[in-house]
Structure formats: structure tokens, C-alpha cells
Amino acid sequence: MKKIVVLGSINVDTILNIPRLPLPGETMAMGDQSTAGGGKGANQAIAAVRAGAETTFIAKVGQDHSADFMLDTFKKDGLKMKYITVDSEAGTGKAYILLDEDGQNSILIYGGANQTITVDDVENARDTIENADCLIAQFETPLDATLAAFQIAKQNDVVTILNPAPAKTDIPQKLLSLTDIIVPNETEAEAITGVKAVDKKSIINSAVKLNKLGVKCVIITVGSRGSLYYTDGKESFVDAYKVSTVDTTAAGDTFIGYLAAKLDSNLANTVEAMKFASKASSMAVQVKGAQNSIPYVDDVKI
Ligand code: RIB
């Protein structure tokens, strides 16, 4: 069984259904509000475990009811939780998701305990990282811990996947040089490369720039248009499945967790893995919420 380690965030998501984003100074009535498990790290870990991989999650929660709610879901899904620790001061992470009628979202984050993950927390999980097939991280947890984890991974030929989200303009060169596959969406790619990805040509240009920054394999996800893979001067496009979108939250996270679970260690089957990930992601956008929308592998058929 594939062994995956995810270093990342845990958030309780409050989803606010609104007709459109409010204008500055405007008061607006909401349609509905609901709560669901989220956090980019947790979503990716759940996607990987539901895709059939043995998945260990390195994360932090607060000492509160939100933590109980999140840990309960992880337990039901069979995530390995030994390296999820508790910070006695900061609260469990929270996200406030403004979800419009077209299923598009804008997200506000309270980092809380996610921001207290340290290099020592990563060191405690050294053995597990060393023995993994793949390590995944994002930018909702501290950068120095991610760097430490990627260093351990690359010293042991573990495949590293970086999801540079939320978007960041100043990614250290060191981290890029330790990354095997970078998976941004078009906005995150633009933040790093400065190239606005509006059409096929500009998406490829953005990927070429990321490649020149030192990452061997680049996958740019472009929502309902699909995803681009670029490596060694060659590109492949994987079309998205045409579905009616209810909520795009965790679509990218589902893609990444499934991608990691399906990838061979020599990365030779990346395009095949992307097709499977794309199917899983198309299923996630048809259900409201983050973790409750992530499908189980038996239901994902391509
Ligand atoms: O990628 C979606 C996630 O981003 C949400 O679940 C929210 O918690 C934020 O972290």
C-alpha cells in the first residue's frame, strides 16, 4: 500500500451562502450557513486516505471542541494521527468561506494552532517521513517546518509535492529545489511567476517559468478547463469532466490527495494519475463543503 505523509493545516470551515460578494460598506442577507471539516492539509490527507493510501498527518489542533470534531472525522477515515499534537494556547484553525450561487468561493483564514507547528514537530515524525513514498505540504503552516520536512524527504528519495496555497510571491529557492512536483492553480502560479494564465499558451509559459525556478514537474490546475502537466520540455493537458458545480471548495485538495495516492515513485504515470485525480475532483465540486465532498475510491470510475 502506498504510504503518504501530509504536513498541513486543520480548519473548521463555516460556509456562508451569499448571492455575490458584498461591496465595501454593504450589508447583505445570507441564504444559509453551515459548518464542515476543512483545512488544505486535512482535505488533502482525507483525499489520500479515501483514495486508498496509508496516510499519516502531521498537524496541530487547539484544546477545544473544534479539535474534537475534526479528530473524530480523521479517526473514522482511518488517518494515522500519531503526529497530530495539541497546542494549549492557540485555537484550532478556522476558515470562513463565502460561497456564491455559481459555486465559487472566497476564503478568510484564522491560522490558530496551524501556525504553531515547529521543526521539532517534523523531527518527531522523521522516521515516518523517511519511510514514506510521498510527502505533501501547502502554505497554511509555517515555512521552516515545511523546509525541514522536504529536506528529510529528499535525503531519502521520497517524492515531494508542494501545493503553494494560499498564493505566495516569495517562495524560498531552497524549497523549490527540494520539490519534485508543484501543483498550483492558475492564481497561485501567477503569484509565483508573474504570468497571467488566461489561455493555453500563457498556462504553458507559467509552467515553463516554474520549471526554470528549479521544480522538475509542474501541474497547473485551471478549474473547469482541466490541468496542465509540464516536464522536460513537454506538456500534456488533461481535460476536466463536465459537471454542474455546487461548491469548488476542496476541489484542488481532492485532486492532490488522489494524485499522490495514484503516482508511481518514478512519476512515469503522472498523466494517468492526473486523469483519476481529475475525476475525483469533478465529484467533489458536486457536493457542498470540503471533507464531506471528497469521494471514496470505489466510487471514482474513469
Ligand atoms: O482548499 C480549501 C480549504 O481552504 C478549506 O477547507 C479551508 O479550510 C481553507 O483552508
Side-chain angles (χ1 to χ4, degrees):
M1 192 189 265
K2 183 133 274 178
K3 287 187 185 151
I4 293 178
V5 175
V6 178
L7 166 63
S9 56
I10 296 174
N11 294 329
V12 173
D13 292 349
T14 301
I15 304 155
L16 310 174
N17 287 77
I18 51 169
R20 57 170 171 78
L21 286 182
L23 300 168
E26 182 181 12
T27 301
M28 185 191 268
M30 282 187 321
D32 186 17
Q33 63 163 317
S34 51
T35 302
K40 293 184 193 305
N43 298 342
Q44 291 170 22
I46 287 190
V49 82
R50 289 187 188 166
E54 180 186 298
T55 308
T56 304
F57 191 22
I58 306 171
K60 227 162 200 170
V61 289
Q63 228 166 13
D64 48 28
H65 291 305
S66 297
D68 301 337
F69 167 65
M70 298 300 291
L71 296 177
D72 195 43
T73 315
F74 300 159
K75 205 168 166 188
K76 282 187 194 134
D77 264 298
L79 267 186
K80 299 219 170 281
M81 295 162 55
K82 182 171 169 195
Y83 303 110
I84 302 178
T85 50
V86 180
D87 187 275
S88 55
E89 285 165 25
T92 299
K94 306 256 181 323
Y96 299 89
I97 302 182
L98 306 176
L99 178 66
D100 75 16
E101 284 170 347
D102 297 326
Q104 299 305 317
N105 61 40
S106 303
I107 305 182
L108 307 169
I109 298 287
Y110 159 71
N114 296 315
Q115 288 306 320
T116 68
I117 295 178
T118 62
V119 171
D120 283 347
D121 293 320
V122 168
E123 274 301 328
N124 288 340
R126 174 178 274 276
D127 275 3
T128 306
I129 298 172
E130 284 177 351
N131 290 298
D133 294 298
C134 179
L135 170 71
I136 311 174
Q138 325 73 31
F139 287 149
E140 284 185 341
T141 46
L143 202 58
D144 55 349
T146 303
L147 260 170
F150 272 42
Q151 247 152 353
I152 297 171
K154 286 326 300 166
Q155 282 157 5
N156 292 276
D157 291 329
V158 176
V159 172
T160 50
I161 298 182
L162 179 66
N163 171 221
K168 198 171 170 58
T169 50
D170 52 348
I171 304 178
Q173 183 57 42
K174 177 91 192 143
L175 183 61
L176 293 173
S177 68
L178 293 165
T179 300
D180 292 313
I181 309 179
I182 191 163
V183 193
N185 64 20
E186 67 267 55
T187 312
E188 291 143 10
E190 184 186 338
I192 305 166
T193 64
V195 179
K196 203 167 185 57
V198 285
D199 53 17
K200 216 167 184 174
K201 195 169 162 218
S202 53
I203 296 166
I204 295 169
N205 285 344
S206 190
V208 171
K209 273 208 164 181
L210 282 165
N211 184 244
K212 287 199 174 130
L213 287 171
V215 187
K216 185 171 162 38
C217 302
V218 179
I219 296 174
I220 302 181
T221 58
V222 277
S224 58
R225 285 179 291 168
S227 49
L228 166 82
Y229 175 49
Y230 181 85
T231 189
D232 294 335
K234 286 188 223 115
E235 77 268 355
S236 312
F237 267 95
V238 171
D239 289 332
Y241 287 80
K242 301 276 171 256
V243 294
S244 81
T245 300
V246 173
D247 180 1
T248 57
T249 310
D253 300 330
T254 303
F255 182 95
I256 290 166
Y258 265 81
L259 174 81
K262 293 292 157 193
L263 264 185
D264 288 343
S265 51
N266 61 5
L267 311 185
N269 70 337
T270 304
V271 172
E272 286 315 302
M274 284 168 68
K275 288 181 186 162
F276 202 71
S278 176
K279 177 70 191 199
S281 177
S282 77
M283 293 168 74
V285 301
Q286 296 177 69
V287 180
K288 199 162 93 172
Q291 283 156 26
N292 46 307
S293 74
I294 300 171
Y296 290 84
V297 71
D298 288 347
D299 299 323
V300 183
K301 303 207 167 47
I302 57 170

